Amino acid sequence: MIAFLSGVVRELREHSAIVLVGGVGYEVLCPASTLGKLSAGSPAELHTRLVVREDAWTLFGFADTDSLKLFELLTSVTGVGPKLGLALLSGMSPSALAQGLLSGDSKLLSSVSGVGKRTAERLVLELQGKVPEHLAAPTVGGVRQRVISTAGQDAVDALLALGFRDAQVRAAVSELLSQDPEQSADQLIRKSLGRLR
């Protein structure tokens, strides 16, 4: 089992990275969020999962252990293979995905390309009680946040009053706060509306 790779990125492709480790180049399939953190010629550390099939050995890589944990949970669901798990992690941030699973928001999950209504409902049914709650909190500067600011809570309340779904609202506000924790409620509402519509 290859659990971790530490090396230099030789090449970035559409869905994967070639990482040079000890003279061997490993092709690692990664979600968009991980690929966005990599650059050719720079060092990389990836948490990995090796998936062995009759016709192929495929290495999947993630920038953090939370993404890897979500990938493992997603692929434990019947009918959800590694490529669909990767698509879900590419379609939204790990915290937004975890929030969607915890709150049972199958509509949010089915908004990801390739995820149908039945698959989204099965994911919610099988994983709602299995996703650790800390995964739904956003990270700021590498530190996982547990509390939304007062402005963030005001923005969440206002957006919920407009009829948006709880998981979508919290995911949008949390992501905006992770980019700039000092934003006002008005700024958060305006920016969230652009994402939610």
Side-chain angles (χ1 to χ4, degrees), residues 16-196:
S16 65
I18 307 298
V19 182
L20 180 65
V21 181
V24 178
Y26 293 88
E27 181 174 16
V28 188
L29 296 180
C30 304
S33 57
T34 295
L35 287 173
K37 295 177 183 176
L38 303 176
S39 58
S42 297
E45 293 187 346
L46 296 173
H47 301 272
T48 58
R49 171 66 56 218
L50 178 64
V51 176
V52 179
R53 295 272 164 83
E54 199 173 296
D55 58 343
W57 288 30
T58 310
L59 198 57
F60 294 86
F62 307 90
D64 54 69
T65 54
D66 290 347
S67 297
L68 174 59
K69 175 70 174 166
L70 278 170
F71 177 77
E72 290 171 339
L73 284 169
L74 292 167
T75 55
S76 72
V77 174
T78 306
V80 179
K83 296 234 171 126
L84 190 55
L86 210 59
L88 279 157
L89 283 162
S90 290
M92 62 186 79
S93 70
S95 62
L97 179 56
Q99 284 175 358
L101 290 167
L102 283 168
S103 65
D105 192 347
S106 59
K107 193 170 183 179
L108 175 68
L109 301 177
S110 63
S111 69
V112 173
S113 177
V115 181
K117 183 181 176 187
R118 286 185 182 173
T119 302
E121 288 171 352
R122 190 179 316 119
L123 282 163
V124 166
L125 182 68
E126 293 191 31
L127 297 181
Q128 196 167 13
K130 295 181 181 176
V131 177
E133 285 191 29
H134 76 275
L135 294 181
T139 56
V140 178
V143 178
R144 194 156 289 285
Q145 303 297 300
R146 294 194 177 273
V147 181
I148 286 184
S149 67
T150 305
Q153 191 57 55
D154 290 345
V156 167
D157 293 342
L159 292 162
L160 290 176
L162 292 173
F164 291 103
R165 293 178 162 269
D166 185 82
Q168 290 174 307
V169 166
R170 289 186 186 282
V173 171
S174 294
E175 210 161 311
L176 288 167
L177 283 171
S178 72
Q179 295 164 6
D180 178 6
E182 302 302 317
Q183 295 180 82
S184 68
D186 288 344
Q187 290 173 311
L188 291 167
I189 292 167
R190 192 168 50 254
K191 290 178 184 176
S192 294
L193 283 171
R195 293 173 177 226
L196 294 167

